[in-house]
Amino acid sequence: MPKLVNLESSQADNWQLLELESEIPADTNASLLPLESFLVNVEKLDQCGVWLSSADDIYALEPHLSKVSVVAFRFESFMDGRGFSQARILREHLDYKGQVRAIGQFIQDQLHYLLRCGFNEFSVADDADEDSLRESLADFSESYQAGCDVPAPLFRRRA
Amino acid sequence: MYVYDEYDHKIIGERVAQFRRQTDRYLAGELKEEEFLPLRLQNGLYVQRLAPMLRIAVPYGMLNSTQLRKVAHITRKYDKGYCHFTTRQNIQLNWPALEQVPDILAELAEVEMHAVQTSGNCIRNVTTDQFAGVATDETVDPRPYCEIIRQWSTFHPEFAFLPRKFKIAVSGTEEDRAAIYFHDIGLQLVKNERGEIGFKVIVGGGLGRTPIIGSVVRDFLPEKDILTYLESILRVYNLNGRRDNKYKARIKILVKSMGVEAFAKAVDTEWDKVRDSQTLLTEREIARAHSFFTTPEYAELIEDDAQAQLAALTQNNPAFGKWLSRNVRDHKQPGYRAVNLSLKPIGVPPGDVTDKQLEAIADLADRYSFGEVRSTHEQNLVLADVKAADLFDLWAELKAHGFATANIGTLTDMICCPGGDYCSLANAKSIPVADDLHREFDDLDYLYDLGDIDLNISGCMNACGHHHIGHIGILGVDKRGEEFYQVQLGGSQKYDAKLAKVLGPSFAREEVTGVVRKIIETYVDARQDGEAFLATYERIGLSPFKERVYAKAS
């Protein structure tokens, strides 16, 4: 079973990743619904997670964010960087305060940038080396540009 | 030039440590090849035909003597004692060992240099005019803005996995010496009626397989809005650029498919949301950036005296006069000049410099030009602040080191990519073609008579040699497994941006020199009133050249 790593700790990732054809369970507290399923069923749904592919439009979630406890961005390929922009839009334009999770094919060395773009949870293989992951999360202690972690760019903070 | 503060040092230091760890993990088998690929590319390490190649960033072309000496040392310690200046003002080492690259990066960091984002699907080195800050036709010095954009783009967390590479160029003069219409984003610094500084923003230019001239999306963007606006462009590109086909993934394809107006509108929609964010530039930061590019401690000199002295020297020494007229440019400051160092003597691949030469240049920079030098996208170097009174002595020293070939702007001042000798992407060798042409056209008087001719050579369609925008462009092609060369005419990299047209069927390598000679003869026969090559071409068109070149021997 994969694990869910955040800044402080890790735990087993027992979230259920649903596909378009999947049946939506009665209790969706630990379910990640594909965006389309969520939108179609949104009236009936209570707290759940939603996952987006790189091609999905994050703005589609805008009217329903109060129902979404986790927004997960699924990376089909780590070379596809759309998730970075999608997450930033979610945090900075849509002011989302819930969990933003990276799932799928992102790599360890993207962790720091993912963090800066608003991700706070990462679903990784169960045998992933956590110490190494945390080192990568903290690759840089200082950055030039604004990010979700430090919203003031360096030029506003230079002594 | 820009001087690192503690923040810059810390950030670069952390990058070196990051890459060292990534390299260690890769060599220990903990990082897969395809996962290590973007990491090493974004640290400049490119695997090539013969050996890994390391591309070192030279931010907007500025180098100081300390940096030159360090690069010389690095070429000796880690490479074969020479380096190459590229068409984006960067430096390339052709033979580093992968395991040693973290050490090289650590040494570069000591002199405030790096290889960050010089490769990979990210924002690359910001380039500009080699005469920035000293040009007589300058509206606004572009360098402070280049530095602001450089910092904004360095380790930008959102834009490190773009559909493709992203290149930005900035120009601050009436004449475009930075090819801004052929970049993903080109920025021209302008002033409005109230004298306020802003940018004309051009998006979607480029060369390569689908050469396109960029489109203007904004006529005047106030200077403080530049970073938020750039973010908006990059975000639209990151979300909408094609990712299905590597050859259709640049922003130029997106702009063309959306149409300029729709594209500009999409950018504006995003920009409305971010224009008041903390990424809005402050006057303080703009002033801080400007503070690194103040004028050096020029002596108070009288321009008329300088001119008289040079005229006298020229009278007695025609060779000096030739060098003066081709390689030396006027300067904003009375009594000063900007001096081109030609890296294009016969028998040397264009843009190559040895370690000893680098040290000699460092020395010359210290003694003649406030310790600074600039790299140009035409693969030459510039000593930008030389006293006119020192020119004769400098010329003698440049001659001794092989930098005084008085061919700047002429036919033999070619832009030439590394080509099939070095590059695994090439269809054909380019350096031997440049060499043949150089030997054929070795009469300087004849070259001067021909005037300004941009001859650009690329070994393949990726167009690193900018063949599309040469007055004469030569493109290496693979015809049935053999090296052939296609010739194009009439391109221009300036504000009158144009793409060259193909002359006709391609030629074998041994024919190329003869073809260029016939092209030149056509020009010489047809020119009127001393017009330059491009003007003649535009007046008479492609046909006369085509007829002459392809005429059957009688």
Side-chain angles (χ1 to χ4, degrees), chain B residues 12 25 34 56 72 83 98 109-110 120 145 229 256 273 281 331 389 406 444 462 498 520 551:
Chain B
I12 280 297
R25 283 161 51 219
E34 65 268 19
I56 298 169
C83 71
L98 191 144
E110 288 169 21
Y145 303 93
Y229 198 75
K256 237 191 158 60
K273 302 188 180 110
L281 266 177
H331 194 290
L444 276 179
N462 287 304
K498 286 185 241 305
I520 296 302

Side-chain angles (χ1 to χ4, degrees), chain B residues 412-474:
Chain B
T412 56
D413 184 18
M414 295 171 255
I415 297 181
C416 179
C417 74
D421 285 300
Y422 289 97
C423 180
S424 52
L425 303 171
N427 284 320
K429 296 197 168 120
S430 53
I431 292 173
V433 173
D435 198 52
D436 287 344
L437 284 167
H438 210 137
R439 290 176 198 284
E440 172 78 11
F441 294 94
D442 62 351
D443 181 337
L444 276 179
D445 284 327
Y446 181 59
L447 282 177
Y448 298 151
D449 180 62
L450 295 177
D452 284 344
I453 301 184
D454 289 349
L455 191 151
N456 300 350
I457 307 173
S458 301
C460 78
M461 289 217 282
N462 287 304
C464 300
H466 296 187
H467 65 279
H468 298 292
I469 51 176
H471 303 158
I472 302 173
I474 299 176

Side-chain angles (χ1 to χ4, degrees), chain A residues 7-119:
Chain A
L7 285 176
E8 287 89 37
S9 62
S10 72
Q11 55 190 285
D13 178 4
N14 48 23
W15 282 71
Q16 201 191 0
L17 185 75
L18 301 178
E19 300 289 350
L20 277 174
E21 327 74 57
S22 312
E23 261 208 51
I24 301 176
D27 178 358
T28 54
N29 261 307
S31 304
L32 288 177
L33 273 62
L35 177 68
E36 212 184 294
S37 301
F38 173 79
L39 292 172
V40 160
N41 293 287
V42 71
E43 305 297 320
K44 312 175 227 154
L45 288 166
D46 200 1
Q47 287 296 303
C48 66
V50 180
W51 69 263
L52 277 76
S53 75
S54 301
D56 283 330
D57 177 16
I58 183 60
Y59 284 105
L61 269 184
E62 188 173 7
H64 314 295
L65 284 173
S66 56
K67 291 197 176 184
V68 184
S69 51
V70 177
V71 178
F73 294 97
R74 189 175 186 184
F75 287 80
E76 288 107 40
S77 153
F78 64 83
M79 292 300 290
D80 186 333
R82 285 178 282 184
F84 292 88
S85 288
Q86 290 170 317
R88 264 194 102 169
I89 288 170
L90 178 62
R91 286 292 195 206
E92 291 179 356
H93 298 342
L94 303 181
D95 208 32
Y96 179 68
K97 302 275 191 268
Q99 309 308 314
V100 176
R101 185 182 298 176
I103 63 176
Q105 299 309 308
F106 65 94
I107 58 174
Q108 175 176 333
D109 292 285
Q110 291 176 304
L111 285 172
H112 179 76
Y113 284 174
L114 288 166
L115 182 76
R116 300 218 72 222
C117 287
F119 289 85

